[in-house]
């Protein structure tokens, strides 16, 4: 990975959007260019930086833009990873009320109860019309 590689302003825009997790189609829509142009530019960015994957692009972008040194010892890496985890996923670990319940889908069971309804004056019982023949 070449940390001192210089990208053009357009390559920098595309690299930033890709580093933040946007798909190539989303980048194309946002910058009003074709998806093919984004693919070609991403290929050039990967070649300039000496990387092959989008995750490596994320590492490069955060290391160069946020001042995170690439060569950290494992303890510092773990500490930064935990801080970033709490920074990006606060809903999973922080509870704002006392009644914390895990986020599981709830299914409601509904049962339909047939209750005898009231008869209006217009409705009549069929038994009134049938009289037994003796």
């Amino acid at each position: 990975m070449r940390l001192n590689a210089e990208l053009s302003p357009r390559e920098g825009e595309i690299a930033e959007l890709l580093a933040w997790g946007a798909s190539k189609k989303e980048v194309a829509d946002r910058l009003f260019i074709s998806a093919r142009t984004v693919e070609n530019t991403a290929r050039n960015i990967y070649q300039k930086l000496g990387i092959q994957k989008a995750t490596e692009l994320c590492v490069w972008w955060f290391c160069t833009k946020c001042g995170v040194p690439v060569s950290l010892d494992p303890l510092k890496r773990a500490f930064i990873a935990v801080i970033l985890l709490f920074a990006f996923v606060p809903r999973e670990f922080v509870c704002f009320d006392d009644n914390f319940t895990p986020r599981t889908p709830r299914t409601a069971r509904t049962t339909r109860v047939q209750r005898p309804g009231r008869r209006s004056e217009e409705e009549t019982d069929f038994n009134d019309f049938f009289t037994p023949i003796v």
Side-chain angles (χ1 to χ4, degrees):
M1 181 183 316
R2 295 183 209 119
L3 293 175
N4 56 0
E6 291 293 322
L7 300 178
S8 70
R10 187 57 144 192
E11 288 173 339
E13 283 180 313
I14 293 173
E16 180 179 1
L17 291 171
L18 291 174
W20 280 102
S23 69
K24 292 178 182 173
K25 184 174 181 343
E26 291 171 338
V27 172
D29 292 342
R30 184 167 183 163
L31 298 178
F32 303 107
I33 56 178
S34 72
R36 182 72 178 176
T37 303
V38 174
E39 290 175 13
N40 289 334
T41 308
R43 190 177 311 116
N44 292 338
I45 292 169
Y46 290 173
Q47 186 177 14
K48 282 184 179 181
L49 299 177
I51 59 176
Q52 296 177 357
K53 298 177 183 176
T55 54
E56 293 173 340
L57 178 65
C58 294
V59 169
W60 173 84
W61 194 86
F62 284 106
C63 286
T64 57
K65 302 301 178 190
C66 299
V68 178
V70 177
S71 59
L72 290 176
D73 65 0
L75 183 61
K76 288 181 183 176
R77 284 185 189 182
F79 181 71
I80 290 174
V82 168
I83 289 174
L84 289 175
L85 183 67
F86 281 110
F88 289 115
V89 193
R91 271 187 88 190
E92 299 296 326
F93 298 106
V94 178
C95 174
F96 294 107
D97 59 349
D98 293 335
N99 300 329
F100 179 71
T101 56
R103 292 176 32 188
T104 56
R106 296 180 182 173
T107 57
R109 293 184 182 177
T110 57
T111 56
R112 181 168 268 186
V113 178
Q114 284 258 324
R115 295 186 178 144
R118 296 182 184 172
R119 293 185 186 177
S120 65
E121 293 178 11
E122 297 170 358
E123 293 178 343
T124 56
D125 192 10
F126 287 115
N127 291 333
D128 295 342
F129 292 110
F130 299 111
T131 55
I133 300 176
V134 184

